[in-house]
């Protein structure tokens, strides 16, 4: 592993592409006696693992942590993770199953809080291009979904939303920053190019689905 030390803990930055990983693999909780607490941006895209488990020592994922991870078919994330970053699994064309912990409350990394507004950095595209993903159950505590979350998920047939979901994040406006709209008037482009979608279980409060969702 290539890693850096942050506050005495290891952040995985990359893996040696020549390493012959087994098909089923759990990331280590320690490297050289340092506790692994983070996976940085695009850190694992070069490995050949099919079934990956992220240990509970990991509390942070960088943007695109697993992006373009071509061999990945199933992943189980740490129960210590509270945010799924932008493009987390984008381009994982063989990903079929994602086990998301109920500890996840945000899709996107919060960078600033201002009253009722939470601003996000590049917060969408979590599963964009996951062409083999057929079904996903979103975490119960998830409160916000950003734009393009499932863009290009051509095999996606079923999505189960959390009952308490209250907000959808719309497209970025560089003049005003990220902006929220109420779930009853969502404009989020969540399912563009999801050709196989058959079933969506939405929260009971939603009343309107606009064009281009």
């Amino acid at each position: 592993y290539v890693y850096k030390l942050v506050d005495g803990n290891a952040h995985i930055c990359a893996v040696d592409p020549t390493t012959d990983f087994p098909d089923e693999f759990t990331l280590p909780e320690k490297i050289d006696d340092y506790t692994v607490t983070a996976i940085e941006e695009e850190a694992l895209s070069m490995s050949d693992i099919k079934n990956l488990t992220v240990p509970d020592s990991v509390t942070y994922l960088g943007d695109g942590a697993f992006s373009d991870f071509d061999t990945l078919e199933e992943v189980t994330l740490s129960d210590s993770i509270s945010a799924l970053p932008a493009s987390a699994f984008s381009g994982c064309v063989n990903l079929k199953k994602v086990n998301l912990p109920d500890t996840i409350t945000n899709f996107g990394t919060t960078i600033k809080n201002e009253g009722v507004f939470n601003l996000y950095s590049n917060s969408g595209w979590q599963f964009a291009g996951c062409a083999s993903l057929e079904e996903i159950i979103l975490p119960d505590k998830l409160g916000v979904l950003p734009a393009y979350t499932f863009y290009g998920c051509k095999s996606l047939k079923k999505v189960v939303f959390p009952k308490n979901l209250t907000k959808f994040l719309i497209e970025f406006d560089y003049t005003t920053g990220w902006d929220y709209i109420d779930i009853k008037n969502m404009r989020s482009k969540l399912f563009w190019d999801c050709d196989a979608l058959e079933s969506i279980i939405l929260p009971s409060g939603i009343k309107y689905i606009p064009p281009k969702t």
Side-chain angles (χ1 to χ4, degrees):
Y1 300 94
V2 176
Y3 67 91
K4 64 181 180 180
L5 293 179
V6 178
D7 297 327
N9 296 311
H11 287 204
I12 296 176
C13 299
V15 295
D16 183 348
T18 64
T19 301
D20 186 16
F21 287 97
D23 287 349
E24 296 187 10
F25 185 74
T26 299
L27 288 174
E29 293 193 4
K30 287 184 177 290
I31 299 176
D32 296 335
D33 291 329
Y34 297 109
T35 300
V36 176
T37 59
I39 301 172
E40 293 289 348
E41 295 184 11
E42 302 179 3
L44 297 179
S45 59
M46 296 298 292
S47 60
D48 57 0
I49 301 163
K50 291 183 178 180
N51 188 328
L52 178 68
T53 298
V54 178
D56 287 343
S57 64
V58 174
T59 60
Y60 172 82
L61 299 175
D63 288 352
F66 309 99
S67 62
D68 299 320
F69 197 152
D70 292 343
T71 61
L72 188 65
E73 296 180 2
E74 181 175 351
V75 63
T76 300
L77 294 182
S78 161
D79 285 336
S80 303
I81 293 171
S82 61
L84 192 67
S87 303
F89 296 100
S90 64
C92 292
V93 294
N94 289 304
L95 185 64
K96 298 176 182 178
K97 185 176 182 179
V98 182
N99 300 301
L100 299 175
D102 286 336
T103 52
I104 291 179
T105 57
N106 290 322
F107 274 19
T109 304
T110 304
I111 59 173
K112 187 176 181 181
N113 294 319
E114 291 186 0
V116 296
F117 294 100
N118 295 319
L119 304 183
Y120 291 80
S121 172
N122 300 320
S123 65
W125 308 87
Q126 275 72 13
F127 301 99
C130 292
S132 299
L133 188 65
E134 294 187 0
E135 178 177 341
I136 189 164
I137 299 174
L138 297 174
D140 285 340
K141 296 179 181 178
L142 184 65
V144 176
L145 274 178
Y148 298 103
T149 300
F150 301 105
Y151 178 84
C153 292
K154 294 182 177 296
S155 298
L156 189 65
K157 296 180 179 180
K158 182 178 180 180
V159 178
V160 180
F161 284 93
K163 294 179 181 179
N164 295 321
L165 190 71
T166 58
K167 298 288 182 181
F168 282 77
L169 200 60
I170 61 175
E171 288 182 284
F172 190 75
D173 181 340
Y174 286 94
T175 61
T176 61
W178 286 109
D179 191 17
Y180 285 129
I181 56 172
D182 190 272
I183 192 171
K184 295 180 180 179
N185 298 291
M186 72 177 192
R187 299 188 68 88
S188 53
K189 300 184 179 180
L190 285 175
F191 302 108
W192 273 31
D193 205 21
C194 292
D195 300 338
L197 193 61
E198 297 176 350
S199 174
I200 303 175
I201 301 176
L202 291 168
S204 59
I206 193 164
K207 303 297 182 183
Y208 171 68
I209 300 178
K212 299 181 180 180
T213 296

Short mmCIF file of all heavy atoms in Angstrom, two decimals, residues 61-110:
data_model
loop_
_atom_site.label_atom_id
_atom_site.label_comp_id
_atom_site.label_asym_id
_atom_site.label_seq_id
_atom_site.Cartn_x
_atom_site.Cartn_y
_atom_site.Cartn_z
N LEU A 61 -13.98 8.35 3.40
CA LEU A 61 -13.69 7.97 2.02
C LEU A 61 -13.50 9.25 1.20
O LEU A 61 -14.32 10.17 1.28
CB LEU A 61 -14.84 7.16 1.42
CG LEU A 61 -15.20 5.83 2.10
CD1 LEU A 61 -16.43 5.23 1.44
CD2 LEU A 61 -14.03 4.85 2.05
N GLY A 62 -12.45 9.28 0.40
CA GLY A 62 -12.23 10.42 -0.47
C GLY A 62 -13.08 10.31 -1.73
O GLY A 62 -13.58 9.24 -2.09
N ASP A 63 -13.26 11.42 -2.43
CA ASP A 63 -14.03 11.42 -3.67
C ASP A 63 -13.47 10.37 -4.63
O ASP A 63 -12.26 10.28 -4.84
CB ASP A 63 -13.96 12.79 -4.35
CG ASP A 63 -14.77 13.85 -3.61
OD1 ASP A 63 -15.51 13.48 -2.68
OD2 ASP A 63 -14.65 15.03 -3.97
N GLY A 64 -14.36 9.57 -5.21
CA GLY A 64 -13.95 8.57 -6.17
C GLY A 64 -13.07 7.47 -5.59
O GLY A 64 -12.27 6.88 -6.31
N ALA A 65 -13.24 7.18 -4.31
CA ALA A 65 -12.37 6.21 -3.64
C ALA A 65 -12.30 4.87 -4.37
O ALA A 65 -11.26 4.22 -4.40
CB ALA A 65 -12.84 6.00 -2.20
N PHE A 66 -13.44 4.45 -4.95
CA PHE A 66 -13.50 3.16 -5.66
C PHE A 66 -13.79 3.33 -7.15
O PHE A 66 -14.16 2.38 -7.82
CB PHE A 66 -14.58 2.27 -5.04
CG PHE A 66 -14.47 2.13 -3.54
CD1 PHE A 66 -15.26 2.90 -2.70
CD2 PHE A 66 -13.58 1.24 -2.97
CE1 PHE A 66 -15.18 2.78 -1.32
CE2 PHE A 66 -13.48 1.11 -1.60
CZ PHE A 66 -14.27 1.88 -0.77
N SER A 67 -13.66 4.53 -7.65
CA SER A 67 -14.06 4.79 -9.04
C SER A 67 -13.23 3.98 -10.04
O SER A 67 -12.04 3.73 -9.83
CB SER A 67 -13.91 6.28 -9.36
OG SER A 67 -12.58 6.70 -9.24
N ASP A 68 -13.90 3.53 -11.11
CA ASP A 68 -13.27 2.75 -12.18
C ASP A 68 -12.59 1.48 -11.66
O ASP A 68 -11.59 1.02 -12.22
CB ASP A 68 -12.25 3.61 -12.93
CG ASP A 68 -12.89 4.82 -13.60
OD1 ASP A 68 -13.99 4.66 -14.16
OD2 ASP A 68 -12.31 5.91 -13.55
N PHE A 69 -13.16 0.92 -10.61
CA PHE A 69 -12.68 -0.34 -10.01
C PHE A 69 -13.34 -1.46 -10.82
O PHE A 69 -14.37 -2.00 -10.44
CB PHE A 69 -13.14 -0.35 -8.55
CG PHE A 69 -12.45 -1.33 -7.65
CD1 PHE A 69 -12.34 -1.07 -6.30
CD2 PHE A 69 -11.93 -2.52 -8.13
CE1 PHE A 69 -11.72 -1.96 -5.44
CE2 PHE A 69 -11.32 -3.43 -7.29
CZ PHE A 69 -11.21 -3.14 -5.93
N ASP A 70 -12.73 -1.81 -11.94
CA ASP A 70 -13.39 -2.62 -12.97
C ASP A 70 -13.78 -4.02 -12.51
O ASP A 70 -14.77 -4.58 -12.97
CB ASP A 70 -12.49 -2.75 -14.20
CG ASP A 70 -12.31 -1.43 -14.93
OD1 ASP A 70 -13.13 -0.52 -14.69
OD2 ASP A 70 -11.37 -1.32 -15.73
N THR A 71 -13.00 -4.62 -11.60
CA THR A 71 -13.27 -6.00 -11.20
C THR A 71 -14.25 -6.11 -10.05
O THR A 71 -14.76 -7.19 -9.76
CB THR A 71 -11.97 -6.71 -10.80
OG1 THR A 71 -11.39 -6.02 -9.67
CG2 THR A 71 -10.98 -6.72 -11.95
N LEU A 72 -14.54 -5.00 -9.38
CA LEU A 72 -15.36 -5.04 -8.16
C LEU A 72 -16.80 -5.45 -8.46
O LEU A 72 -17.46 -4.86 -9.31
CB LEU A 72 -15.35 -3.67 -7.48
CG LEU A 72 -16.00 -3.59 -6.10
CD1 LEU A 72 -15.21 -4.44 -5.09
CD2 LEU A 72 -16.05 -2.13 -5.63
N GLU A 73 -17.27 -6.48 -7.74
CA GLU A 73 -18.64 -6.97 -7.92
C GLU A 73 -19.49 -6.75 -6.67
O GLU A 73 -20.71 -6.58 -6.78
CB GLU A 73 -18.62 -8.45 -8.27
CG GLU A 73 -17.95 -8.75 -9.60
CD GLU A 73 -17.95 -10.24 -9.94
OE1 GLU A 73 -18.52 -11.03 -9.14
OE2 GLU A 73 -17.40 -10.62 -10.99
N GLU A 74 -18.88 -6.78 -5.50
CA GLU A 74 -19.63 -6.57 -4.26
C GLU A 74 -18.74 -5.85 -3.26
O GLU A 74 -17.54 -6.10 -3.17
CB GLU A 74 -20.09 -7.90 -3.67
CG GLU A 74 -20.89 -7.75 -2.38
CD GLU A 74 -21.46 -9.05 -1.85
OE1 GLU A 74 -21.37 -10.06 -2.58
OE2 GLU A 74 -22.00 -9.07 -0.72
N VAL A 75 -19.36 -4.95 -2.50
CA VAL A 75 -18.60 -4.22 -1.48
C VAL A 75 -19.45 -4.05 -0.23
O VAL A 75 -20.67 -3.85 -0.30
CB VAL A 75 -18.14 -2.84 -2.02
CG1 VAL A 75 -19.33 -1.95 -2.36
CG2 VAL A 75 -17.22 -2.15 -1.02
N THR A 76 -18.80 -4.18 0.91
CA THR A 76 -19.43 -3.92 2.21
C THR A 76 -18.63 -2.82 2.89
O THR A 76 -17.43 -2.97 3.12
CB THR A 76 -19.43 -5.18 3.09
OG1 THR A 76 -20.16 -6.22 2.42
CG2 THR A 76 -20.08 -4.90 4.44
N LEU A 77 -19.30 -1.73 3.22
CA LEU A 77 -18.62 -0.58 3.79
C LEU A 77 -18.61 -0.62 5.31
O LEU A 77 -19.47 -1.24 5.95
CB LEU A 77 -19.26 0.72 3.31
CG LEU A 77 -19.14 1.02 1.82
CD1 LEU A 77 -19.77 2.37 1.50
CD2 LEU A 77 -17.67 1.01 1.38
N SER A 78 -17.68 0.10 5.88
CA SER A 78 -17.52 0.21 7.32
C SER A 78 -18.74 0.83 7.99
O SER A 78 -19.37 1.75 7.46
CB SER A 78 -16.29 1.09 7.61
OG SER A 78 -16.31 1.60 8.91
N ASP A 79 -19.08 0.33 9.17
CA ASP A 79 -20.16 0.91 9.96
C ASP A 79 -19.77 2.24 10.58
O ASP A 79 -20.58 2.88 11.25
CB ASP A 79 -20.59 -0.05 11.07
CG ASP A 79 -21.40 -1.23 10.55
OD1 ASP A 79 -22.01 -1.09 9.47
OD2 ASP A 79 -21.43 -2.28 11.21
N SER A 80 -18.53 2.66 10.37
CA SER A 80 -18.05 3.93 10.93
C SER A 80 -18.15 5.08 9.93
O SER A 80 -17.82 6.22 10.25
CB SER A 80 -16.60 3.78 11.39
OG SER A 80 -16.46 2.75 12.33
N ILE A 81 -18.59 4.80 8.70
CA ILE A 81 -18.66 5.82 7.66
C ILE A 81 -20.02 6.53 7.71
O ILE A 81 -21.06 5.89 7.77
CB ILE A 81 -18.44 5.18 6.28
CG1 ILE A 81 -17.00 4.67 6.16
CG2 ILE A 81 -18.74 6.17 5.16
CD1 ILE A 81 -16.75 3.84 4.93
N SER A 82 -19.99 7.86 7.68
CA SER A 82 -21.24 8.62 7.73
C SER A 82 -21.56 9.32 6.41
O SER A 82 -22.68 9.79 6.23
CB SER A 82 -21.17 9.67 8.85
OG SER A 82 -20.12 10.59 8.62
N ALA A 83 -20.59 9.40 5.50
CA ALA A 83 -20.83 10.08 4.22
C ALA A 83 -20.25 9.27 3.07
O ALA A 83 -19.13 8.76 3.16
CB ALA A 83 -20.20 11.47 4.23
N LEU A 84 -21.04 9.12 2.00
CA LEU A 84 -20.56 8.47 0.78
C LEU A 84 -20.19 9.58 -0.19
O LEU A 84 -21.05 10.34 -0.63
CB LEU A 84 -21.64 7.58 0.18
CG LEU A 84 -21.18 6.63 -0.92
CD1 LEU A 84 -20.23 5.57 -0.36
CD2 LEU A 84 -22.39 5.96 -1.58
N PRO A 85 -18.90 9.70 -0.54
CA PRO A 85 -18.45 10.87 -1.28
C PRO A 85 -18.86 10.86 -2.74
O PRO A 85 -19.37 9.86 -3.27
CB PRO A 85 -16.92 10.78 -1.15
CG PRO A 85 -16.66 9.31 -1.07
CD PRO A 85 -17.80 8.76 -0.26
N ALA A 86 -18.60 11.96 -3.40
CA ALA A 86 -18.88 12.08 -4.83
C ALA A 86 -18.13 11.02 -5.62
O ALA A 86 -16.99 10.68 -5.31
CB ALA A 86 -18.46 13.47 -5.32
N SER A 87 -18.83 10.46 -6.62
CA SER A 87 -18.22 9.49 -7.55
C SER A 87 -17.61 8.29 -6.84
O SER A 87 -16.67 7.69 -7.36
CB SER A 87 -17.15 10.18 -8.41
OG SER A 87 -17.68 11.28 -9.10
N ALA A 88 -18.13 7.94 -5.68
CA ALA A 88 -17.54 6.88 -4.87
C ALA A 88 -17.32 5.60 -5.67
O ALA A 88 -16.27 4.97 -5.59
CB ALA A 88 -18.41 6.59 -3.65
N PHE A 89 -18.35 5.19 -6.45
CA PHE A 89 -18.27 3.96 -7.23
C PHE A 89 -18.45 4.22 -8.72
O PHE A 89 -18.75 3.29 -9.47
CB PHE A 89 -19.33 2.97 -6.75
CG PHE A 89 -19.14 2.51 -5.33
CD1 PHE A 89 -19.88 3.08 -4.30
CD2 PHE A 89 -18.21 1.53 -5.01
CE1 PHE A 89 -19.71 2.67 -2.99
CE2 PHE A 89 -18.02 1.12 -3.70
CZ PHE A 89 -18.78 1.69 -2.68
N SER A 90 -18.28 5.43 -9.15
CA SER A 90 -18.53 5.74 -10.56
C SER A 90 -17.60 4.92 -11.45
O SER A 90 -16.41 4.75 -11.18
CB SER A 90 -18.32 7.24 -10.82
OG SER A 90 -16.98 7.61 -10.59
N GLY A 91 -18.17 4.39 -12.50
CA GLY A 91 -17.39 3.61 -13.45
C GLY A 91 -17.09 2.19 -13.02
O GLY A 91 -16.33 1.50 -13.69
N CYS A 92 -17.69 1.73 -11.93
CA CYS A 92 -17.52 0.33 -11.50
C CYS A 92 -18.49 -0.53 -12.30
O CYS A 92 -19.59 -0.87 -11.83
CB CYS A 92 -17.77 0.19 -10.00
SG CYS A 92 -16.52 1.00 -8.98
N VAL A 93 -18.11 -0.88 -13.50
CA VAL A 93 -19.04 -1.45 -14.47
C VAL A 93 -19.52 -2.85 -14.09
O VAL A 93 -20.55 -3.30 -14.60
CB VAL A 93 -18.40 -1.48 -15.88
CG1 VAL A 93 -18.17 -0.07 -16.39
CG2 VAL A 93 -17.08 -2.25 -15.86
N ASN A 94 -18.81 -3.55 -13.21
CA ASN A 94 -19.21 -4.90 -12.82
C ASN A 94 -19.82 -4.96 -11.42
O ASN A 94 -20.14 -6.06 -10.95
CB ASN A 94 -18.02 -5.86 -12.90
CG ASN A 94 -17.61 -6.13 -14.33
OD1 ASN A 94 -18.40 -6.58 -15.14
ND2 ASN A 94 -16.36 -5.83 -14.67
N LEU A 95 -19.98 -3.82 -10.78
CA LEU A 95 -20.53 -3.79 -9.43
C LEU A 95 -22.00 -4.22 -9.44
O LEU A 95 -22.82 -3.64 -10.14
CB LEU A 95 -20.41 -2.38 -8.84
CG LEU A 95 -20.85 -2.22 -7.39
CD1 LEU A 95 -19.95 -3.03 -6.45
CD2 LEU A 95 -20.82 -0.74 -6.99
N LYS A 96 -22.30 -5.26 -8.64
CA LYS A 96 -23.65 -5.81 -8.61
C LYS A 96 -24.35 -5.61 -7.26
O LYS A 96 -25.56 -5.53 -7.20
CB LYS A 96 -23.61 -7.31 -8.93
CG LYS A 96 -23.08 -7.63 -10.31
CD LYS A 96 -22.96 -9.13 -10.54
CE LYS A 96 -22.38 -9.44 -11.91
NZ LYS A 96 -22.21 -10.90 -12.12
N LYS A 97 -23.56 -5.52 -6.19
CA LYS A 97 -24.16 -5.43 -4.86
C LYS A 97 -23.36 -4.49 -3.98
O LYS A 97 -22.14 -4.60 -3.89
CB LYS A 97 -24.24 -6.82 -4.21
CG LYS A 97 -24.97 -6.83 -2.87
CD LYS A 97 -25.10 -8.24 -2.33
CE LYS A 97 -25.88 -8.26 -1.02
NZ LYS A 97 -26.02 -9.66 -0.50
N VAL A 98 -24.08 -3.57 -3.33
CA VAL A 98 -23.46 -2.63 -2.41
C VAL A 98 -24.17 -2.72 -1.07
O VAL A 98 -25.38 -2.54 -0.99
CB VAL A 98 -23.55 -1.18 -2.93
CG1 VAL A 98 -22.86 -0.22 -1.97
CG2 VAL A 98 -22.95 -1.07 -4.32
N ASN A 99 -23.40 -3.01 -0.02
CA ASN A 99 -23.96 -3.07 1.33
C ASN A 99 -23.62 -1.77 2.05
O ASN A 99 -22.49 -1.57 2.50
CB ASN A 99 -23.39 -4.27 2.07
CG ASN A 99 -23.72 -5.59 1.38
OD1 ASN A 99 -24.88 -5.93 1.18
ND2 ASN A 99 -22.68 -6.33 0.98
N LEU A 100 -24.60 -0.88 2.11
CA LEU A 100 -24.39 0.43 2.72
C LEU A 100 -24.84 0.40 4.18
O LEU A 100 -25.96 0.00 4.47
CB LEU A 100 -25.17 1.50 1.97
CG LEU A 100 -24.83 1.70 0.49
CD1 LEU A 100 -25.77 2.71 -0.14
CD2 LEU A 100 -23.38 2.16 0.33
N PRO A 101 -24.00 0.85 5.11
CA PRO A 101 -24.39 0.84 6.52
C PRO A 101 -25.42 1.93 6.82
O PRO A 101 -25.46 2.97 6.15
CB PRO A 101 -23.07 1.12 7.25
CG PRO A 101 -22.28 1.93 6.27
CD PRO A 101 -22.63 1.37 4.91
N ASP A 102 -26.22 1.71 7.84
CA ASP A 102 -27.22 2.69 8.24
C ASP A 102 -26.60 3.93 8.87
O ASP A 102 -27.30 4.91 9.15
CB ASP A 102 -28.23 2.06 9.21
CG ASP A 102 -29.20 1.13 8.50
OD1 ASP A 102 -29.40 1.30 7.29
OD2 ASP A 102 -29.75 0.23 9.17
N THR A 103 -25.30 3.92 9.10
CA THR A 103 -24.62 5.09 9.66
C THR A 103 -24.46 6.20 8.63
O THR A 103 -24.17 7.35 9.00
CB THR A 103 -23.23 4.69 10.19
OG1 THR A 103 -22.51 3.99 9.16
CG2 THR A 103 -23.36 3.80 11.41
N ILE A 104 -24.65 5.88 7.35
CA ILE A 104 -24.50 6.91 6.32
C ILE A 104 -25.70 7.86 6.35
O ILE A 104 -26.84 7.44 6.19
CB ILE A 104 -24.37 6.28 4.92
CG1 ILE A 104 -23.02 5.56 4.80
CG2 ILE A 104 -24.49 7.34 3.83
CD1 ILE A 104 -22.79 4.87 3.47
N THR A 105 -25.41 9.14 6.56
CA THR A 105 -26.47 10.15 6.60
C THR A 105 -26.37 11.12 5.43
O THR A 105 -27.32 11.87 5.17
CB THR A 105 -26.39 10.95 7.91
OG1 THR A 105 -25.08 11.54 8.04
CG2 THR A 105 -26.63 10.05 9.12
N ASN A 106 -25.23 11.15 4.73
CA ASN A 106 -25.04 12.07 3.62
C ASN A 106 -24.42 11.37 2.43
O ASN A 106 -23.54 10.51 2.59
CB ASN A 106 -24.11 13.23 4.02
CG ASN A 106 -24.73 14.18 5.00
OD1 ASN A 106 -25.92 14.48 4.91
ND2 ASN A 106 -23.94 14.67 5.93
N PHE A 107 -24.86 11.74 1.24
CA PHE A 107 -24.15 11.42 0.01
C PHE A 107 -23.43 12.69 -0.40
O PHE A 107 -24.05 13.66 -0.82
CB PHE A 107 -25.11 10.99 -1.10
CG PHE A 107 -25.45 9.52 -1.08
CD1 PHE A 107 -25.26 8.76 0.06
CD2 PHE A 107 -25.98 8.91 -2.20
CE1 PHE A 107 -25.58 7.41 0.08
CE2 PHE A 107 -26.30 7.56 -2.20
CZ PHE A 107 -26.10 6.81 -1.05
N GLY A 108 -22.13 12.71 -0.29
CA GLY A 108 -21.37 13.93 -0.51
C GLY A 108 -20.72 14.35 0.80
O GLY A 108 -21.19 14.02 1.88
N THR A 109 -19.62 15.07 0.69
CA THR A 109 -18.89 15.49 1.88
C THR A 109 -19.29 16.90 2.25
O THR A 109 -19.10 17.83 1.48
CB THR A 109 -17.37 15.43 1.62
OG1 THR A 109 -17.03 14.12 1.21
CG2 THR A 109 -16.59 15.79 2.86
N THR A 110 -19.85 17.08 3.43
CA THR A 110 -20.26 18.41 3.86
C THR A 110 -19.03 19.27 4.09
O THR A 110 -18.10 18.88 4.79
CB THR A 110 -21.06 18.33 5.17
OG1 THR A 110 -22.17 17.46 4.97
CG2 THR A 110 -21.58 19.69 5.57
#
